[in-house]
Every structure is written in structure tokens, then in C-alpha cells.
Amino acid sequence: MKLTVIGGGGVRSLFLAKSLAQQAESLGITVLAFMDNNEEKLNIYGKMARAAALHINPQLTFILTADAKEAVTDADYVITTIREGGDDMRVQDERIALSLGVLGQETTGAAGFSFAIRSVQALAGYCELIKQYAKPNCKVFNFTNPAGVVSQTLRDMGYAFTYGICDAPSGMLRSFEALYGVPEGSMQGEVYGLNHLSYFQSITLDGRDIMPELIENDEAYRKTDMRYFEKELLRRRGCILNEYLYYFYYREIALKNILAAEQTRGEQIAAINRRMTEELKTVDIEREFDKALAIFEHWHGVRENNYMASETGVKRETQWHFDLDKKENGGYAGVALKFIEIERSGKAGSMILCTENRGAIPGLREDDVVEITCDITQDGAVPHRFDKIDEQHLELIRRVKIYERLASKAIREKSVATAVEALTLHPLVNSYSLAKELMRQYLALNKDYTKDWA
């Protein structure tokens, strides 16, 4: 079996390679292909990924390439994790929104639309290559942000073999398992909503719903990403929230914190990646892998401990270590691998995935892409039905889904007017005049991608 990663020169390639190599034998993966159009990064982070994978599983054939056609030819599965425009354009996406007093977070905020303009164009090109050169039943797992808009648009363009993946819900479950001291995979969550806007309806351990006790557990607010919310909010909502709902429930606090911070999240990431890459350039990755790994560990630890710190004022304080030999099923590689494991086993299994609604959430369209607990079958992902949903949750989900639908239409039809409609309805913009100005500036920023927009 061949598995391809498009964006294999990204800074998180090392995690992907580790998870893929650890499960390669059990899943029948014999060939890994990591492709990136940035050859400098491919020769640093791609080589680190290859060294890690072959340390774990020397029997693997590991291909590093800048040729997308070579990468996807005969692929059984593809993971896409790209940043079209690079870190610098992310910074500009976010700063444009902030200059107008609008949250610029790159997935839930207005900046996500600008990023989606670039992401969809690049991913559609890869999807065409996959249709032509990959195996007939090849499936694509998209981790590229903003995953909600991107997944909706790719499906609307007819790429039914694409699924959106995100490690936020599964990561939340893993943190609860660590809190309870139980093995990974012990807890199951019933989740509904959209990417970065989802709600846990229940969390079970040994068949028992533990969500009510988690909401009352003070330790959970210190050791998990429940730290971003007040206990009273979760009590009122009667569920546990995806951490990105912080931007909706604490909008003005997030905006104030970001504007007061020395750097936005995008600026932090850009600076960390730049300094890490400069250090790694001085290292012979293949001969001095341990030295390269030490540099990576340091900078990735800085990155992780600053996750959502500017927005929330809450900084993680953990000592981060990359253990090449420790068994790991987490991250977005874990989400993709779980799908592959269930599908190839032929046995029933469930997971949290972005796929078409198909009647699972009332009030949404059949073809709306949602983030939801699914059963994986020979027919693909079958979402669990949620007949009783809190009307406040549904109201927010519907509002953001309308934005995502219009964003998809705008990108597919290259329509400035539809893009303005989309941003006007976005709860974190909520203004026609702001939407017009955002689009004026985003069209200028993305001029190489929007030459034929009207």
C-alpha cells in the first residue's frame, strides 16, 4: 500500500512520519511518499521525517519528491497538509482583520476566508492529479486549514473522495484519558457540529457517560483544554466545547488579548519556524539526526506552550519531548490511520470526521460538511444522528454553516459579491461594511490567486 503526504516538508512532518511508520506493518503500508514544492523545507523536515520513519521501520520504501505527479501515482491514500502562501501570508491575513477590529484567527476568524482562497486553488490541482494517477478508490484526508470551508468547497467541486480531518476532538479525548490514567482509546465521544465549532454530547468510559463529572472536575480546567472556559458556561451548555469555540464565547476578550500581545499567533509561528529552520540549515540531517532532533524539540516545545496563549492569556507549562520509540496514535495522522484501520479491517468502528451531514444534524442540508462522530463502513463515513440538539448550539452551527456555504460558492464562482455576503454573515464579522473592506484588502493580498474574480 502507498500512502502519500502532500506538504511533506512541513514542520509537523516528523510527527506524521512517526505515526505512519509505527502502524505501517499492521496496516500494510509499504511505501511512504512525502511531497513538497518547497525543496529547502523538504530537504530539512522531509529528511528528518524519513530518518525517523526508517529508524522505526527500516523495511519501508520512503520517497522524498517535489514532483506531485510522482507522489500521487498509484497512491491508495493521500494526506494533504499545505500552507499555500507560507507563514508570511498567514500573518498578513490575520493583521488585515485585526486592523479592522475583527478577529483574524486563521480557521474560525475572517482570515480563514483569505487562506481558503489560496488553499482550495492548490488542493483542487492536487485532486485532479489524484483522480488521474492515484488508485481508483484513493481517499484524501485534508488537514489543510481552514478545514471547514476547504472540505465543503472540495466536496462542492465534486471531489467526493475527500474527507476533512482535525485532531482537536481526538486530542481532547486523549487529554481526558491522561487525566483519568486510562489507556488511549478507552474513551469515546459523541460529537456534532462543524470543524472548530463542535460540541461533545457525551463522553463515555467503560460504557458510562463521564461528561457531567468532567464538567465539575476542577483538575480538568487546569490540565486539559477545558482551561479556556468557565465552569458555569459548560454547565449552562450541558456539554464540553471544542477549544476553538473560545473565539465565539469570549470574542471581545480574545480580540483584546491579541491586540495587546506583542505578536499574533501567526507571527509567533512564523518567527519560531524561521529560527528553527535557520538552525537546522547548519546541520547535516542524515549524519547528525540527533542534533537536528534536539533543535526541533526545543522550538516545537516553545510553539506548543504558546498555543492560544496570546488569545486567552493562558500559557501551557509542559516540558515537551519527542520520543522516537514511544508508541503514538495521536495527531491528525492518527485520525487518518484510524479511518484506514477500520476500513481495511472490514469491521465496524467509529471516529470523528468531517463528512457530509446526510440528515445527521437537523436543520442542515444533506450535503453540508459537518464534523461529527461517524461509523466507517464499506460505503464510507456514515454520521451518527443527533435528533435532540440544544437550539443555541444549532443556531450558531447554522449561522457558520451558511457562511461556509457562501464561502464555497464565492471561491468556486470567483464572485466578490458572494464573498462579501459570506463574510457579512460570519458571526465574528457581522457587518456588511467590514465585509466589503475585508474583501478589498484580501483581493489585493491574494492578487496572484484572484486575477479572474469579479
Side-chain angles (χ1 to χ4, degrees), residues 283-301:
V283 178
D284 185 323
I285 301 297
E286 292 163 325
R287 295 183 179 181
E288 302 176 287
F289 179 68
D290 288 345
K291 183 177 179 181
L293 190 59
I295 293 169
F296 179 84
E297 278 187 334
H298 168 73
W299 288 112
H300 192 79

Side-chain angles (χ1 to χ4, degrees), residues 64-202:
L64 288 179
T65 181
D67 185 334
K69 177 183 171 183
E70 177 191 3
V72 304
T73 295
D74 294 328
D76 296 272
Y77 298 95
V78 177
I79 295 173
T80 57
T81 172
I82 65 173
R83 180 167 291 285
E84 186 71 12
D87 292 334
D88 290 340
M89 287 196 81
R90 172 187 178 172
V91 168
Q92 294 178 76
D93 290 338
E94 294 177 348
R95 278 296 176 192
I96 285 171
L98 289 170
S99 73
L100 297 171
V102 175
L103 268 166
Q105 208 279 333
E106 68 156 353
T107 58
T108 59
F113 183 80
S114 181
F115 191 13
I117 292 171
R118 303 190 297 272
S119 296
V120 169
Q121 190 173 128
L123 289 169
Y126 291 126
C127 284
E128 285 299 316
L129 287 175
I130 289 163
K131 281 173 63 177
Q132 189 172 356
Y133 296 107
K135 294 279 183 66
N137 294 319
C138 179
K139 291 183 175 62
V140 176
F141 303 104
N142 175 61
F143 187 70
T144 301
N145 278 323
V149 173
V150 169
S151 298
Q152 184 67 58
T153 310
L154 291 177
R155 285 272 177 159
D156 289 344
M157 294 173 79
Y159 301 121
F161 50 82
T162 60
Y163 294 90
I165 60 174
C166 182
D167 54 354
S170 58
M172 183 77 88
L173 287 174
R174 300 296 83 79
S175 71
F176 295 149
E177 287 165 348
L179 186 69
Y180 275 68
V182 298
E184 286 191 7
S186 299
M187 293 186 184
Q188 287 75 46
E190 288 294 315
V191 172
Y192 67 87
L194 310 177
N195 178 247
H196 286 183
L197 200 157
S198 57
Y199 299 84
F200 280 90
Q201 189 176 73
S202 68

Side-chain angles (χ1 to χ4, degrees), residues 156-428:
D156 289 344
M157 294 173 79
Y159 301 121
F161 50 82
T162 60
Y163 294 90
I165 60 174
C166 182
D167 54 354
S170 58
M172 183 77 88
L173 287 174
R174 300 296 83 79
S175 71
F176 295 149
E177 287 165 348
L179 186 69
Y180 275 68
V182 298
E184 286 191 7
S186 299
M187 293 186 184
Q188 287 75 46
E190 288 294 315
V191 172
Y192 67 87
L194 310 177
N195 178 247
H196 286 183
L197 200 157
S198 57
Y199 299 84
F200 280 90
Q201 189 176 73
S202 68
I203 297 171
T204 56
L205 174 63
D206 297 328
R208 180 174 64 91
D209 187 359
I210 63 168
M211 194 169 66
E213 68 188 52
L214 271 171
I215 290 173
E216 298 301 323
N217 187 334
D218 290 336
E219 194 176 13
Y221 293 87
R222 294 192 299 270
K223 294 185 176 180
T224 78
D225 284 342
M226 284 168 59
R227 61 172 60 86
Y228 304 125
F229 305 102
E230 295 165 81
K231 185 183 292 187
E232 183 59 24
L233 173 63
L234 300 193
R235 282 175 178 161
R236 296 287 299 176
R237 296 295 87 240
C239 64
I240 288 173
L241 312 181
N242 183 299
E243 68 247 41
Y244 284 85
L245 277 164
Y246 173 84
Y247 296 104
F248 293 93
Y249 288 102
Y250 298 86
R251 180 180 62 175
E252 80 291 348
I253 297 173
L255 182 60
K256 179 182 177 181
N257 287 343
I258 294 169
L259 290 172
E262 292 183 6
Q263 293 178 308
T264 63
R265 178 63 174 167
E267 287 165 345
Q268 286 177 357
I269 296 296
I272 289 168
N273 289 349
R274 185 167 53 249
R275 293 174 71 179
M276 178 167 61
T277 301
E278 287 301 315
E279 285 191 37
L280 287 168
K281 278 184 188 178
T282 67
V283 178
D284 185 323
I285 301 297
E286 292 163 325
R287 295 183 179 181
E288 302 176 287
F289 179 68
D290 288 345
K291 183 177 179 181
L293 190 59
I295 293 169
F296 179 84
E297 278 187 334
H298 168 73
W299 288 112
H300 192 79
V302 173
R303 173 177 172 147
E304 286 298 292
N305 280 334
N306 281 284
Y307 176 69
M308 289 184 72
S310 296
E311 299 93 326
T312 65
V314 179
K315 186 175 180 179
R316 295 174 176 176
E317 296 291 346
T318 56
Q319 188 167 357
W320 189 82
H321 174 63
F322 185 83
D323 185 344
L324 200 54
D325 297 309
K326 182 181 177 182
K327 187 68 175 174
E328 185 173 333
N329 296 314
Y332 56 97
V335 180
L337 289 171
K338 186 169 183 180
F339 185 108
I340 295 169
E341 179 184 12
I342 297 169
E343 182 182 58
R344 295 184 77 84
S345 73
K347 299 176 182 178
S350 64
M351 62 181 296
I352 302 161
L353 197 68
C354 293
T355 190
E356 289 182 337
N357 182 47
R358 295 164 64 178
I361 298 177
L364 297 185
R365 296 178 184 175
E366 291 283 306
D367 60 352
D368 281 341
V369 173
V370 295
E371 184 169 89
I372 198 162
T373 303
C374 302
D375 292 328
I376 307 304
T377 72
Q378 296 304 308
D379 298 321
V382 180
H384 292 188
R385 292 187 64 88
F386 292 83
D387 294 322
K388 294 181 180 179
I389 293 179
D390 183 287
E391 63 179 1
Q392 292 187 38
H393 301 169
L394 186 58
E395 178 69 18
L396 184 55
I397 291 167
R398 282 169 54 88
R399 181 75 177 272
V400 174
K401 192 69 245 179
I402 294 170
Y403 154 73
E404 290 185 351
R405 279 192 221 126
L406 286 169
S408 168
K409 182 180 179 183
I411 292 168
R412 287 181 287 114
E413 297 180 357
K414 302 175 182 179
S415 168
V416 176
T418 306
V420 171
E421 285 183 0
L423 287 167
T424 298
L425 283 172
H426 194 302
L428 300 181

